Amino acid sequence: MLDNMNTQTRVVIATVLSLLVFIAYDYFFMPKPAHLADANKTVQTAAPATQAKSEAASPAAETKAEAKPSAQQSPVGGELTRTILTVETSNATIEFDALGRIKQVYLKDRQYRDEAGKELKLFNAPKIPKPLEIRFSDPALNELAFKTPYTVSVSHLEIAGDKPETVTFTQDLGGFRVEKVVTIYPDHHYDVKVTMSDVKPWFISPGYRPDIRIDNYTVHGVMVEEADGTLTIIDDGDAKGTEAFRKARIAVAFDRYYATAFYDFEQGMDVVVNKDAEDNPILFVKGETAERTLHGYIGPKEYKILQKIHPELTKIIEFGWFTFIAAPMFKVLLWLHSFIPNWGWTIVALTILIRILLYPLTYKGMVSMHRLKQLQPKIKEIQAKYKGDPQKMNMHMMELYKKHKANPLGGCLPMLLQIPVFFAIYRVLLNAIELKGAPWILWINDLSVMDPYYVLPLLMGASMWAHQRVTPSNFTDPMQEKIFKWLPVIFTFFFVTFPAGLVLYWLTNNIFSIAQQLMINRMLEKQPKAE
């Protein structure tokens, strides 16, 4: 069968298979949710490897980790895990435990409520470290620190308006004093100033990532922006040991929609990435001196919030391989939403805009496919005449294409060029927390989750079938044609569980593709047939 395929058909099949492999990989082979692991398994940071990431692997990495955070088992229950401070802001409730760590964060905004309508909790699994957890390289001092509760300057704090509030945590370790001064802002970011009474190797963590939206579609783990702007992402399950980054700008642990981060765009941070018992990456920032100030963020990966805090912080929103296309596309989506308040119609408008921009490529591809369809009788004659001589057959085919100015790849190249655009919009609509809780029309109350009645996926499959019906086909093998007729069914199967926003994009794209195809078909019918 492969011998009977023309070049265009092979490229089309390769393109479709690429899409299917991409979607299937995301669905079946991305790391499984952490909460599916054995809940009774005690998780602690594993002893790090003796060698950090080599200089050759990353210019920003240290070649040796001279000081490392001690492995520590999380305290369970009792005095050390009780809440000693509750902070209320307009957007969140933040609880601190007796070790001066952020114990829990509840998001108040209606958009972030859970399925039961309750305030969303960012941390559900008993993972460590927790945000603002301090560890020491000295095992004895570290053990003492995890047995000694902090005192706090106030037990309840309310932040009204835009004015930040400050709270002080103090720990006395047998004459060695630790002080954490935390300044909390109402927009999910904070500053933390750590002061030690003596210089000892210490580390502080932004915490283990939130575990609200862990799925098979998106990456979750940690990301470090190095001093030269390089973004290094370590997925859950892929941590190899201790990796060190000098003068990093951002260190963030994230799931699909939420993040906890440290950042310092002026002095940079010395970041160490350890791994836990499940090879998940754990972030720490090294304290070089007895006093260190860091900026932190804990909350949703929402563009407007991050942009307002610091424009560079928007790098926390990461779109994978095609970020260079997806990032500007995401900004266009936000720009359109400033005029169109409904996110569903915003997606429709973005789809139309993309179709308009890609129209020249689409038109060239459709014209080429139409010419090849006209040449099919002559192509079959040549294939039959020179069946036993492939060299002569190819020579006469090329002469035929040249005579009629037909390009066998002309219908496929535009399709190949559009693949990065599809992957980019795929990532944008999956990662955009702005779609969470955003309704469209009728039964679609949340564009970030699947259509509960499967209407959109079925309409998408039907529109894909209709598009096939109006698109000129150049199949010379009946088996190839049968395979392509089943593609709408296959794609419908994959899209059943996809977020409604993504399926809406694909459905809208199909509808306008059908309209474009019908219009171009009418234009081409008026052209003279190939002689």
Side-chain angles (χ1 to χ4, degrees):
M1 184 177 73
L2 290 173
D3 294 336
N4 295 327
M5 290 186 187
N6 57 39
T7 305
Q8 173 164 309
T9 302
R10 294 184 185 192
V11 175
V12 170
I13 291 176
T15 302
V16 173
L17 287 177
S18 297
L19 288 170
L20 289 175
V21 168
F22 177 82
I23 294 170
Y25 174 82
D26 265 17
Y27 186 81
F28 292 110
F29 299 108
M30 290 294 285
K32 296 296 182 288
H35 61 266
L36 295 181
D38 184 4
N40 296 319
K41 186 175 182 180
T42 301
V43 179
Q44 65 181 39
T45 54
T50 57
Q51 185 70 26
K53 188 170 64 173
S54 68
E55 191 83 27
S58 172
E62 295 179 341
T63 56
K64 291 183 179 179
E66 297 177 355
K68 305 164 189 173
S70 296
Q72 181 63 44
Q73 188 168 335
S74 184
V76 179
E79 175 73 11
L80 296 175
T81 58
R82 68 183 178 87
T83 301
I84 63 170
L85 169 65
T86 302
V87 180
E88 298 284 352
T89 76
S90 57
N91 298 314
T93 299
I94 309 169
E95 294 178 346
F96 290 79
D97 67 15
L99 289 177
R101 310 175 302 181
I102 295 178
K103 175 182 176 181
Q104 189 57 265
V105 177
Y106 299 86
L107 299 182
K108 294 182 178 180
D109 290 351
R110 190 177 186 85
Q111 177 185 3
Y112 307 128
R113 298 282 175 104
D114 62 18
E115 290 78 4
K118 298 179 180 179
E119 292 182 358
L120 196 67
K121 294 194 301 182
L122 287 189
F123 305 103
N124 295 279
K127 296 285 188 177
I128 58 168
K130 296 185 180 298
L132 299 184
E133 182 172 305
I134 290 179
R135 295 189 187 180
F136 297 92
S137 293
D138 182 344
L141 181 60
N142 194 69
E143 184 178 358
L144 178 61
F146 273 82
K147 292 179 179 179
T148 307
Y150 280 75
T151 58
V152 64
S153 58
V154 63
S155 61
H156 188 83
L157 199 61
E158 290 193 12
I159 301 176
D162 297 329
K163 184 180 177 181
E165 295 288 348
T166 298
V167 61
T168 302
F169 296 88
T170 307
Q171 186 182 44
D172 187 356
L173 302 175
F176 180 77
R177 189 169 182 272
V178 180
E179 182 182 82
K180 280 193 280 191
V181 179
V182 184
T183 302
I184 303 169
Y185 298 78
D187 57 358
H188 302 291
H189 89 281
Y190 60 88
D191 301 326
V192 56
K193 180 181 178 182
V194 179
T195 304
M196 306 280 179
S197 61
D198 193 7
V199 179
K200 294 183 182 292
W202 61 276
F203 299 81
I204 186 169
S205 176
Y208 189 82
R209 60 158 175 75
D211 53 4
I212 305 301
R213 292 306 294 265
I214 308 300
D215 50 41
N216 291 333
Y217 302 127
T218 51
V219 173
H220 29 83
V222 305
M223 181 183 75
V224 178
E225 184 189 12
E226 301 184 45
D228 60 358
T230 302
L231 296 178
T232 299
I233 297 175
I234 305 174
D235 298 344
D236 281 354
D238 288 346
K240 304 302 181 185
T242 298
E243 297 184 67
F245 302 86
R246 293 281 298 173
K247 303 301 180 184
R249 293 158 53 83
I250 300 174
V252 56
F254 60 91
D255 69 359
R256 178 175 171 184
Y257 286 149
Y258 308 96
T260 176
F262 283 155
Y263 59 96
D264 189 337
F265 300 114
E266 297 172 358
Q267 299 179 9
M269 307 171 292
D270 290 345
V271 174
V272 176
V273 181
N274 277 1
K275 67 174 183 176
D276 67 9
E278 297 172 331
D279 291 336
N280 297 324
I282 305 295
L283 286 171
F284 290 94
V285 171
K286 185 178 179 181
E288 298 283 358
T289 61
E291 184 176 295
R292 183 71 161 95
T293 299
L294 291 168
H295 309 292
Y297 178 84
I298 183 165
K301 296 192 293 183
E302 187 170 340
Y303 184 87
K304 289 183 179 179
I305 295 175
L306 298 170
Q307 170 79 14
K308 188 176 180 181
I309 296 170
H310 196 292
E312 293 288 323
L313 208 54
T314 57
K315 293 178 182 177
I316 287 176
I317 307 171
E318 202 275 332
F319 298 108
W321 303 332
F322 294 98
T323 296
F324 68 98
I325 300 176
M329 193 176 293
F330 179 60
K331 292 180 181 179
V332 172
L333 185 71
L334 294 175
W335 175 75
L336 288 171
H337 187 253
S338 66
F339 301 100
I340 308 171
N342 183 294
W343 278 107
W345 294 118
T346 301
I347 292 172
V348 172
L350 177 66
T351 311
I352 295 172
L353 181 60
I354 292 173
R355 294 302 309 178
I356 292 172
L357 292 175
L358 294 179
Y359 179 76
L361 283 175
T362 304
Y363 178 76
K364 287 183 180 180
M366 290 178 176
V367 168
S368 180
M369 291 179 71
H370 181 77
R371 286 177 179 171
L372 289 173
K373 184 178 180 180
Q374 288 184 325
L375 293 175
Q376 279 304 302
K378 294 184 179 294
I379 291 173
K380 288 181 179 180
E381 287 180 12
I382 293 173
Q383 288 175 336
K385 186 175 181 180
Y386 300 101
K387 186 177 182 180
D389 192 342
Q391 188 173 356
K392 279 190 176 183
M393 181 177 70
N394 289 333
M395 183 183 71
H396 283 85
M397 294 272 278
M398 294 306 295
E399 288 177 356
L400 180 68
Y401 293 147
K402 185 176 181 181
K403 178 181 177 181
H404 294 279
K405 298 180 179 180
N407 183 354
L409 293 178
C412 300
L413 290 177
M415 183 186 301
L416 290 173
L417 291 173
Q418 292 179 50
I419 288 179
V421 176
F422 166 74
F423 285 167
I425 194 68
Y426 172 87
R427 285 299 184 191
V428 166
L429 297 181
L430 278 178
N431 288 16
I433 192 173
E434 285 79 1
L435 299 185
K436 187 181 185 308
W440 180 39
I441 57 173
L442 301 175
W443 69 97
I444 302 297
N445 298 315
D446 188 345
L447 288 164
S448 71
V449 300
M450 60 179 285
D451 181 344
Y453 303 112
Y454 311 112
V455 176
L456 285 180
L458 291 174
L459 289 176
M460 186 279 299
S463 67
M464 193 173 180
W465 175 83
H467 189 213
Q468 284 186 345
R469 299 286 293 176
V470 300
T471 302
S473 61
N474 303 312
F475 296 110
T476 57
D477 189 313
M479 182 60 68
Q480 298 170 23
E481 191 170 5
K482 287 180 181 179
I483 292 173
F484 270 77
K485 283 183 178 179
W486 278 97
L487 285 180
V489 177
I490 296 171
F491 270 75
T492 300
F493 169 76
F494 277 113
F495 274 70
V496 160
T497 58
F498 275 17
L502 182 61
V503 184
L504 175 61
Y505 162 77
W506 195 267
L507 171 61
T508 306
N509 184 70
N510 285 348
I511 292 172
F512 280 88
S513 295
I514 293 169
Q516 283 185 346
Q517 186 70 62
L518 290 172
M519 180 181 68
I520 292 174
N521 285 351
R522 291 176 184 174
M523 293 169 56
L524 296 176
E525 284 173 0
K526 298 178 182 179
Q527 295 183 0
K529 293 185 178 181
E531 295 285 332

